[in-house]
């Protein structure tokens, strides 16, 4: 619970991609919903694509769920 609380305390960074579009990270609650398969379809694929490229979201997930890193991490969170 402490790690979840700690993850909630981190500000969500904003990133600017090559097209100058602001991309915000999903909330920790959305990340939990993703890992519990409560999100479906296109939104799930979009979240996966964000998570595998966002170090902040990876850190939050790894802190909350003690998930692996690298390729093993990508396999574990891949949409099914």
């Amino acid at each position: 619970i402490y790690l979840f609380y700690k993850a909630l305390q981190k500000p969500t960074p904003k990133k600017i991609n090559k097209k100058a579009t602001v991309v915000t990270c999903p909330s920790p609650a959305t990340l939990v919903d993703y890992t519990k398969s409560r999100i479906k379809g296109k939104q799930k694929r979009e979240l996966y694509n964000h998570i595998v490229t966002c170090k902040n979201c990876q850190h939050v997930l790894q802190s909350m769920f003690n998930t692996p890193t690298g390729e093993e991490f990508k396999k574990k969170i891949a949409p099914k």
Side-chain angles (χ1 to χ4, degrees):
I1 293 176
Y2 171 75
L3 294 175
F4 181 73
Y5 175 78
K6 187 176 173 184
L8 289 174
Q9 299 304 309
K10 290 186 174 190
T12 303
K14 293 185 179 184
K15 299 178 181 179
I16 302 199
N17 66 18
K18 293 178 183 176
K19 295 180 183 177
T21 303
V22 175
V23 177
T24 56
C25 293
S27 69
T30 301
L31 293 174
V32 169
D33 287 343
Y34 175 85
T35 60
K36 301 291 182 185
S37 297
R38 295 179 190 145
I39 298 175
K40 307 288 183 199
K42 183 180 177 186
Q43 185 181 10
K44 186 167 188 166
R45 174 56 65 184
E46 289 172 355
L47 279 171
Y48 173 78
N49 290 336
H50 174 82
I51 293 166
V52 297
T53 60
C54 179
K55 297 293 183 192
N56 184 57
C57 287
Q58 291 173 26
H59 174 74
V60 170
L61 284 171
Q62 289 164 350
S63 296
M64 289 192 302
F65 299 106
N66 195 26
T67 57
T69 58
E71 290 302 314
E72 191 177 339
F73 175 76
K74 291 178 184 178
K75 288 178 188 174
K76 185 169 180 81
I77 66 160
K80 296 174 175 122

